[in-house]
Amino acid sequence: MIRIFSILAGAFFSVALLWSFGKGASSYVSEPPKPTVESVYHKHAEGPEGGFSFEGAFGKFDKQQLQRGFQVYTEVCATCHALKHVAFRDLKEIGYNEAEIKAIAAKYKVPEYNATTGEVKTHDGVAKDHFPPVVYGGQGSPPDLSLIAKARHGGPNYIYALLTGYQPQPAEVLKQFPDAKIPAGLNWNPYFANLNIAMPQPLVSEGQVSYKDGTKPTVEQMSADVSAFLMWTAEPKLEKRNQTGWPVLGFLLFAMVLAYMSYRTVWADKKH
């Protein structure tokens, strides 16, 4: 009796589910949802022409580019965005020597919490310290950039597209969506999720940063460099992982061939 009741209950819910699905599909076909301004004008993020040097299974970071990106971060982005998961000594991996790291760290005041007194004091940064929090005086809370390349779909391509994607709102937007006027204090960027972003355009003109290596600092170049740097902060072991992966795959392939040959040898005189 219980088995029959269970079968009937299961059949009832299955029929109800199929009916609900069929009704929803029919409604979608007969009355498709109206397009939204985001669905029409949001663009897929694309990276710089030629891509990044670290892309692909054999990709490697360009240390000169990472240093340029760090310069863009410190001179432009660091005003609002922190880098709390990166220690000053980590900069050794992108080509800075100990003296340079000490000089960079000394420019920062690092907060130090005293658990006994509850006081917060600051000291001059040293190599072992992490980049300190940023005190932002504006509205909102700018995100920390340490892991931003992993936290956003598209990673460095998204960062590059966002930085180079600021533009006036196209006139046809308001013709098609009269209620899509940009709210006060926001900016139009088709690569941002809802098209309107609070962050003003950070890289606005060529020469905003004077590169030490003589590279021409166009908006596109600066955007690509800081995007590469933020990819490194999010994936500092990317190169080592790529270098380790191929030997591991080679070993597994060799082990598979060896196992197959052993199998053929052991069972060669056996009949099924």
Side-chain angles (χ1 to χ4, degrees), residues 198-215:
M199 180 177 71
Q201 184 175 3
L203 299 172
V204 296
S205 61
E206 181 178 321
Q208 192 170 339
V209 173
S210 297
Y211 283 142
K212 299 175 182 178
D213 64 358
T215 300

Side-chain angles (χ1 to χ4, degrees), residues 72 160 162-166 201-208 211 216-227:
V72 175
Y160 175 83
L162 187 75
L163 292 175
T164 58
Y166 285 83
Q201 184 175 3
L203 299 172
V204 296
S205 61
E206 181 178 321
Q208 192 170 339
Y211 283 142
K216 187 175 181 180
T218 63
V219 171
E220 291 76 15
Q221 183 67 56
M222 291 185 290
S223 300
D225 292 341
V226 75
S227 298

Side-chain angles (χ1 to χ4, degrees), residues 19 45 81 83 93 99 120 124 162 181 191 223 226 245 264 270:
W19 178 82
H81 298 275
L83 211 62
E93 297 182 20
V120 178
D124 291 338
L162 187 75
K181 186 177 181 180
Y191 298 100
S223 300
V226 75
R264 293 297 300 269
K270 305 297 181 181

Side-chain angles (χ1 to χ4, degrees), residues 7 37 41 47-49 90 127 133 149 163 193 209 219 227 235 263 271:
I7 294 174
V37 62
Y41 289 97
E49 184 177 354
D90 294 335
L163 292 175
V209 173
V219 171
S227 298
E235 287 276 13
Y263 163 78
K271 295 183 178 180

Side-chain angles (χ1 to χ4, degrees), residues 69 71-82 134 142 145 163 202-203 226 230:
Q71 186 178 349
V72 175
Y73 166 76
T74 55
E75 295 185 20
V76 180
C77 310
T79 305
C80 304
H81 298 275
V134 173
L145 296 183
L163 292 175
L203 299 172
V226 75
L230 293 177

Side-chain angles (χ1 to χ4, degrees), residues 29-268:
V29 173
S30 60
E31 298 180 9
K34 294 182 180 180
T36 63
V37 62
E38 292 86 1
S39 65
V40 175
Y41 289 97
H42 180 64
K43 293 184 179 180
H44 176 71
E46 296 182 358
E49 184 177 354
F52 291 100
S53 65
F54 51 79
E55 293 177 330
F58 298 97
K60 292 184 178 181
F61 285 118
D62 179 348
K63 291 186 177 181
Q64 284 295 107
Q65 183 178 47
L66 297 184
Q67 290 187 19
R68 293 196 302 268
F70 175 62
Q71 186 178 349
V72 175
Y73 166 76
T74 55
E75 295 185 20
V76 180
C77 310
T79 305
C80 304
H81 298 275
L83 211 62
K84 66 181 180 181
H85 293 295
V86 180
F88 294 111
R89 61 187 173 191
D90 294 335
L91 297 176
K92 183 178 181 180
E93 297 182 20
I94 64 173
Y96 288 99
N97 59 42
E98 292 185 7
E100 291 172 325
I101 291 173
K102 288 181 179 179
I104 292 171
K107 296 178 182 178
Y108 290 83
K109 293 293 183 181
V110 179
E112 183 178 358
Y113 176 72
N114 189 319
T116 304
T117 63
E119 295 180 327
V120 178
K121 297 182 179 180
T122 60
H123 64 266
D124 291 338
V126 295
K128 68 177 182 180
D129 290 323
H130 285 67
F131 281 83
V134 173
V135 179
Y136 179 67
Q139 295 181 347
S141 179
D144 180 271
L145 296 183
S146 307
L147 305 175
I148 198 70
K150 299 294 290 182
R152 298 292 185 270
H153 179 70
N157 289 338
Y158 167 78
I159 298 171
Y160 175 83
L162 187 75
L163 292 175
T164 58
Y166 285 83
Q167 58 184 266
Q169 186 185 56
E172 61 267 20
V173 174
L174 293 180
K175 294 180 180 179
Q176 188 174 358
F177 301 96
D179 297 330
K181 186 177 181 180
I182 302 176
L186 300 185
N187 307 275
W188 177 267
N189 193 316
Y191 298 100
F192 192 63
N194 66 358
L195 307 178
N196 299 313
I197 184 172
M199 180 177 71
Q201 184 175 3
L203 299 172
V204 296
S205 61
E206 181 178 321
Q208 192 170 339
V209 173
S210 297
Y211 283 142
K212 299 175 182 178
D213 64 358
T215 300
K216 187 175 181 180
T218 63
V219 171
E220 291 76 15
Q221 183 67 56
M222 291 185 290
S223 300
D225 292 341
V226 75
S227 298
F229 172 70
L230 293 177
M231 183 61 190
W232 171 78
T233 64
E235 287 276 13
K237 304 300 181 184
L238 178 65
E239 283 187 23
K240 291 183 178 180
R241 189 171 68 247
N242 287 345
Q243 293 170 359
T244 303
W246 287 109
V248 170
L249 288 176
F251 171 78
L252 292 175
L253 180 61
F254 173 76
M256 182 180 68
V257 173
L258 186 63
Y260 178 73
M261 293 175 65
S262 299
Y263 163 78
R264 293 297 300 269
T265 301
V266 172
W267 295 97

